[in-house]
Amino acid sequence: MLNLDRLRTLSAVARHGSVSGAADGLHVTTSAVSQQLAKLERETGQQLLAKQGRGVRLTDAGRLLADHASRILSQVELAQADLEARRGQAVGELLVGAFPTAARGLFPAALAGLREAHPQLRARLTEMDPDSAVPRVVRGDIDLAVVLDWYNKPLPMPEGLAKAPLLDDPADVAVPVGHPLAGRREVELEEFADDEWISWPDGEFCHDWLMLTLRGKGVEPRISHMAEEHPTQLALIAAGLGVGIAPRLGRGPVPEGVRVLPVRHTMRRHVYAVWRADADRRPSIRAAVDALRAAGEKVSA
């Protein structure tokens, strides 16, 4: 009899390409992963891993069993979804990921609403960038993620996922109070061609969007500082160190030294939830999406 936990461990090694990557994805130690795989090798009578340099690789038998494991685990998830749907109740644990401003702007109200309406459902939130959230949904590390598209840059979305729109989030330009354009009612991005910019870290989805958008306006970006969190970006802007983009979702109070200026041709982020299509019938997924939509309606009102 094949053990599901050990098959899940082998599948994680296949997805991540290493024991340490599988351990991170499963939120366990590398020792626990190695022990599970050793037990699986004894149960199957097959060598599933072979050393490769400082790491490991799957043997032919390991790849064969990992392929079966992926299909088996998918069928188990379908069975769990069907059983949950038959009960018609949102129960158990729901692991959710969201980018920081959605975590701040949507989830306090959404999680409180879920707790009140579905007391047997335990939703657990982790902040994460959309680029990492989507693969974690695909791998089954989390059940649902709240991610975003920019109006001119969609987030790559693999097959096998379902999605539901939550809200459209406008974004403004944030400038220091002493900036020559600080008194304007509207601006265009081209007017900041000579400014230094405060950006998200290099390689993040929103940083790539900013580079694409400014260059599309004929502006070669001059990035002076990079910061993950919008409050940090706004603090740098308040100090006169550059200008930046300030989405409205989860923005909170703007520092006294900052002015936010609407852009004439509005920039928007499309915020939506994604989950694995084979979990589509789970009442907990539907309950979470409904709660997030309700929170989004309050934000947009």
Side-chain angles (χ1 to χ4, degrees), residues 213-233:
T213 302
L214 291 176
R215 286 169 179 155
K217 299 289 186 179
V219 177
E220 183 55 37
R222 293 191 297 142
I223 306 299
S224 58
H225 303 284
M226 299 182 186
E228 181 79 31
E229 293 284 351
H230 288 134
T232 306
Q233 295 178 11

Side-chain angles (χ1 to χ4, degrees), residues 125-158:
L125 169 66
T126 302
E127 284 190 6
M128 58 187 70
D129 188 70
D131 281 337
S132 62
V134 170
R136 292 184 70 175
V137 172
V138 172
R139 294 195 302 261
D141 298 338
I142 58 176
D143 299 302
L144 179 145
V146 174
V147 298
L148 63 93
D149 289 332
W150 282 97
Y151 68 101
N152 59 343
K153 182 177 174 61
L155 181 70
M157 195 63 56

Side-chain angles (χ1 to χ4, degrees), residues 96 102 106-107 110 144-146 166-167 273 287-297:
V96 184
L106 290 179
F107 273 86
L144 179 145
V146 174
L166 301 177
L167 77 156
V289 171
D290 289 344
L292 286 164
R293 278 179 167 160
E297 289 174 0

Side-chain angles (χ1 to χ4, degrees), residues 9-147:
T9 301
L10 179 66
S11 180
V13 172
R15 291 195 310 268
H16 292 279
S18 68
V19 169
S20 60
D24 288 341
L26 295 171
H27 306 290
V28 299
T29 64
T30 55
S31 176
V33 170
S34 297
Q35 291 174 18
Q36 289 282 64
L37 294 174
K39 290 178 181 178
L40 187 58
E41 286 186 329
R42 290 197 296 270
E43 290 171 352
T44 60
Q46 300 277 343
Q47 182 181 358
L48 304 176
L49 295 179
K51 290 185 178 180
Q52 181 171 283
R54 294 184 177 180
V56 296
R57 63 173 177 82
L58 292 178
T59 63
D60 289 344
R63 285 195 296 271
L64 176 65
L65 186 56
D67 288 342
H68 282 293
S70 178
R71 291 191 291 272
I72 290 168
L73 293 170
S74 179
Q75 285 299 120
V76 169
E77 179 150 21
L78 281 171
Q80 291 173 334
D82 284 344
L83 287 171
E84 189 177 322
R86 185 178 179 83
R87 288 184 63 181
Q89 296 178 338
V91 298
E93 186 174 67
L94 188 73
L95 303 179
V96 184
F99 60 96
T101 50
R104 184 165 57 249
L106 290 179
F107 273 86
L111 292 174
L114 274 177
R115 176 177 290 183
E116 181 177 354
H118 306 281
Q120 296 184 68
L121 177 64
R122 299 183 303 279
R124 294 171 49 195
L125 169 66
T126 302
E127 284 190 6
M128 58 187 70
D129 188 70
D131 281 337
S132 62
V134 170
R136 292 184 70 175
V137 172
V138 172
R139 294 195 302 261
D141 298 338
I142 58 176
D143 299 302
L144 179 145
V146 174
V147 298

Side-chain angles (χ1 to χ4, degrees), residues 2 14 40 44 153 162 184 188 190 196 202 226 244-245 280:
L2 293 171
L40 187 58
T44 60
K153 182 177 174 61
R184 292 272 296 276
E188 293 285 7
E190 296 92 325
E196 292 185 331
D202 189 13
M226 299 182 186
I245 299 298
D280 199 46

Side-chain angles (χ1 to χ4, degrees), residues 219-297:
V219 177
E220 183 55 37
R222 293 191 297 142
I223 306 299
S224 58
H225 303 284
M226 299 182 186
E228 181 79 31
E229 293 284 351
H230 288 134
T232 306
Q233 295 178 11
L234 292 174
L236 293 168
I237 294 166
L241 299 174
V243 302
I245 299 298
R248 297 179 190 175
L249 176 64
R251 185 157 71 193
V254 175
E256 290 185 4
V258 174
R259 296 290 180 269
V260 288
L261 309 173
V263 179
R264 187 169 294 115
H265 296 93
T266 306
M267 301 181 297
R268 293 184 180 274
R269 305 188 299 179
H270 308 302
V271 181
Y272 54 99
V274 297
W275 61 93
R276 292 181 301 283
D278 54 15
D280 199 46
R281 293 187 291 275
R282 290 179 60 187
S284 56
I285 295 287
R286 295 199 298 271
V289 171
D290 289 344
L292 286 164
R293 278 179 167 160
E297 289 174 0

